């Protein structure tokens, strides 16, 4: 809209036209106020009934909350107004009227349950705190991209429709692709690995992953955003360094550029300091057992149950890595240590949950094919991938970071669905 003034820019003495939503209507009798909201904030509009044109007053005050209005007028200083200024209108236009009954209250005074909120995301995201989550999410992605640039990565995009999954047929959504069976990709894993063997060497991708997970939890989505890194000529410890730097960069970016949003959310926000502790898997299970939180003691080879992750998170109290996992519970593409019981796989944890899985990759063709067979996968089906390991595949390492989990843990959100505009879960396929 030409010649529109944002509410935050309206200064006393200006003649302005603001456009936005009717946030509140306060009629005190002889005098009435509209609070108009736009993306920059809110401004008070004053109607003095006896001193103004009747039509103007009638139009301005008969409008329903959340209607879109365009108001022209003069900005005056007014210490009693929420922003110390108000508009005395000369023209009011109702651009798009809203029905009197709203499915939820965008002023945030009345809480709505998550399901109602997600069904009406447009209205929900008019709330300051919800808008703040998505502004911060945008800043997280911006800072992460910038850090990847610092690390010398090229951004890539890999296919989301694939012939085979990353780890076989489980957890995949099948689709029909011109009469052939295909799948929505559960991870860019194999494709990003193929690119470290190209001239790009070091890559990152931010894109959707699709997982047909049956479980319905506050930290799983069926479509999530994965932040992936992969680099030639590094080992798993250097991949962990990169991981730590990217996560810290996300926090630093938000601290630097999103103070208003953090205030709107009223979160306990701290940029992580110092090196993230690195525990081995063995230390991790010992520490979990020592907390006494689990009914049954963990033994070598067990995957960490959710309760165990929580107990350990509380014990450690900061982001941390778990390294040296048993080879048998890490995927085939992760390289083992010389002691083949142990893998170079690692997870990076927030005290509340897992954020990242990564590791050094198996780049030796014969070992890779053996790994497929050991996991009961047909290497032939992955020929497009394995064959490139015959033409000079450098040693490499990398990781995948859950974007929504990063935002969720950073902001202390209870449910991962709050970190996605239009979440996909078992029940929810629209909007
Ligand atoms: P979990 O054990 O917590 O279900 P995972 O080990 O199956 O996760 P990975 O395959 O290691 O997940 O994926 C790497 C990262 O991607 C995870 O650490 C997590 O942050 C994110 N992620 C994986 N699956 C999901 C999902 N269904 N919803 C949201 N984020 C996910
Ligand atoms: Mg994992």
């Amino acid at each position: 809209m030409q010649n529109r003034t944002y509410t935050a820019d309206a200064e006393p003495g200006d003649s302005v036209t603001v456009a936005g939503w009717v946030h509140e209507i306060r009629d005190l009798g002889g005098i009435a106020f509209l609070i108009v909201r736009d993306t920059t904030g809110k401004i008070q509009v004053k109607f003095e009934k006896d001193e103004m044109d009747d039509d103007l007053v009638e139009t301005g005050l008969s409008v329903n909350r959340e209607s879109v209005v365009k108001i022209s007028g003069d900005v005056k200083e007014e210490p009693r107004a929420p922003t110390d200024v108000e508009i005395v209108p000369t023209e009011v236009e109702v651009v798009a009227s809203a029905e009197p009954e709203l499915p939820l209250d965008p002023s945030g005074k009345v809480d709505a349950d998550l399901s109602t909120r997600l069904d009406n995301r447009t209205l929900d995201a008019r709330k300051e705190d919800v808008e703040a989550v998505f502004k911060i999410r945008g800043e997280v992605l911006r800072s992460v991209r910038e850090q990847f640039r610092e690390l010398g990565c090229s951004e890539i995009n890999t296919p989301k429709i694939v012939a085979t999954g990353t780890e076989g047929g489980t957890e995949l959504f099948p689709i029909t692709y011109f009469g052939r069976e295909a799948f929505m990709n559960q991870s860019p894993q194999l494709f990003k690995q193929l690119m470290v063997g190209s001239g790009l060497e070091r890559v990152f991708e931010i894109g959707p992953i699709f997982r047909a997970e049956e479980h319905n939890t506050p930290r799983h989505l069926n479509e999530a955003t994965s932040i992936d890194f992969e680099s030639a000529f590094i080992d798993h410890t250097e991949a962990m360094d990169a991981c730590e730097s990217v996560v810290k960069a996300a926090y630093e970016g938000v601290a630097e550029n999103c103070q208003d949003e953090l205030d709107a959310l009223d979160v306990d926000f701290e940029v992580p300091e110092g090196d993230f502790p690195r525990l081995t898997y063995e230390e991790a299970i010992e520490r979990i057992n020592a907390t006494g939180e689990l009914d049954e003691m963990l033994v070598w080879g067990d995957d960490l149950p959710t309760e165990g992750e929580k107990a350990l998170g509380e014990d450690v109290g900061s982001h941390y890595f778990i390294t040296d996992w048993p080879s048998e519970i890490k995927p085939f593409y992760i390289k083992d240590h010389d002691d083949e019981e142990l893998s170079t796989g690692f997870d990076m944890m927030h005290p509340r949950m897992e954020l990242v899985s990564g590791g050094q990759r198996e780049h030796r063709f014969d070992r890779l094919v053996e790994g497929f067979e050991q996991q009961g996968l047909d290497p032939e089906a992955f020929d497009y991938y394995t064959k490139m390991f015959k033409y000079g595949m450098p040693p490499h390492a990398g990781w995948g970071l859950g974007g929504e989990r990063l935002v969720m843990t950073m902001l202390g959100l209870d449910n991962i669905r709050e970190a996605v505009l239009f979440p996909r879960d078992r029940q929810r396929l629209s909007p």
Side-chain angles (χ1 to χ4, degrees), residues 117 121 129-130 133-134 218 265 267 352-353 404-420:
R117 291 178 45 202
R121 211 35 155 164
D129 55 345
V130 177
V133 169
F134 292 100
L265 284 162
V267 292
R352 286 173 68 194
M353 71 191 73
E404 286 81 13
R405 287 196 190 174
L406 177 60
V407 173
M408 172 191 187
T409 51
M410 177 183 278
L411 301 180
L413 306 175
D414 291 333
N415 195 313
I416 195 165
R417 290 161 183 77
E418 294 183 62
V420 205

Side-chain angles (χ1 to χ4, degrees), residues 110-409:
V110 185
D111 281 341
D113 61 46
L114 186 57
S115 167
T116 307
R117 291 178 45 202
L118 296 175
D119 285 341
N120 300 281
R121 211 35 155 164
T122 308
L123 295 186
D124 184 49
R126 287 182 192 172
K127 291 190 286 204
E128 224 183 339
D129 55 345
V130 177
E131 183 190 332
V133 169
F134 292 100
K135 284 196 171 158
I136 290 173
R137 181 183 157 122
E139 176 60 30
V140 164
L141 296 180
R142 193 200 63 75
S143 320
V144 159
R145 276 203 167 84
E146 198 172 288
Q147 183 60 22
F148 280 128
R149 298 254 160 233
E150 288 287 313
L151 292 168
C153 301
S154 300
E155 180 161 10
I156 59 168
N157 302 100
T158 63
K160 304 307 157 203
I161 301 176
V162 294
T164 51
T166 301
E167 287 158 56
T170 57
E171 291 184 8
L172 292 169
F173 286 111
I175 59 166
T176 305
Y177 192 72
F178 301 112
R180 285 152 66 191
E181 185 183 51
F183 302 94
M184 301 305 291
N185 206 4
Q186 67 178 173
S187 157
Q189 180 64 35
L190 306 185
F191 292 97
K192 65 177 179 171
Q193 280 190 261
L194 289 177
M195 283 305 102
V196 303
S198 77
L200 296 174
E201 284 195 25
R202 182 174 276 206
V203 296
F204 78 97
E205 175 166 9
I206 301 177
I209 55 172
F210 303 90
R211 302 204 173 185
E213 332 229 23
E214 292 284 323
H215 43 273
N216 226 338
T217 80
R219 62 194 168 90
H220 287 94
L221 294 162
N222 293 107
E223 177 176 349
T225 308
S226 188
I227 299 170
D228 273 90
F229 166 84
E230 201 71 25
S231 174
F233 302 110
I234 65 166
D235 68 11
H236 57 292
T237 64
E238 293 165 291
M240 285 193 270
D241 294 342
C243 174
E244 194 169 322
S245 82
V246 166
V247 168
K248 284 181 174 163
Y251 275 82
E252 281 158 11
V254 171
E256 210 169 296
N257 299 315
C258 299
Q259 196 51 55
D260 290 349
E261 288 74 19
L262 291 171
D263 291 345
L265 284 162
D266 196 18
V267 292
D268 211 3
F269 179 87
E270 269 174 48
V271 177
E273 274 179 29
D275 296 340
F276 296 173
R278 297 181 181 188
L279 320 182
T280 64
Y281 165 86
E282 195 171 357
E283 286 164 344
I285 57 173
E286 277 167 13
R287 274 177 82 158
I288 293 170
N289 287 339
T291 64
E293 292 288 327
L294 297 194
D295 295 337
E296 256 181 74
M297 291 284 172
L298 295 176
V299 294
W300 173 264
D302 287 345
D303 212 340
L304 303 190
T306 308
E307 295 312 307
E309 285 181 6
K310 281 203 183 116
L312 184 58
E314 268 171 38
D315 195 26
V316 179
S318 67
H319 290 86
Y320 62 100
F321 287 96
I322 305 176
T323 66
D324 302 279
W325 289 74
S327 303
E328 67 202 51
I329 54 173
K330 282 289 171 190
F332 63 85
Y333 49 78
I334 306 254
K335 195 163 182 268
D336 292 340
H337 283 294
D338 294 337
D339 166 2
E340 291 186 6
E341 288 275 285
L342 288 178
S343 98
T344 63
F346 62 83
D347 281 4
M348 201 276 281
M349 313 291 292
H350 177 275
R352 286 173 68 194
M353 71 191 73
E354 176 191 319
L355 294 184
V356 176
S357 282
Q360 185 161 354
R361 316 308 188 183
E362 183 50 74
H363 70 284
R364 298 163 295 184
F365 175 79
D366 297 340
R367 295 295 191 95
L368 188 66
V369 170
E370 260 170 45
F372 271 101
E373 282 160 356
Q374 275 165 14
Q375 294 209 356
L377 297 171
D378 174 15
E380 288 282 302
F382 292 87
D383 183 51
Y384 72 92
Y385 167 74
T386 51
K387 77 176 181 202
M388 290 303 145
F389 288 71
K390 292 194 282 193
Y391 308 126
M393 187 58 81
H396 59 283
W399 42 262
L401 159 65
E404 286 81 13
R405 287 196 190 174
L406 177 60
V407 173
M408 172 191 187
T409 51

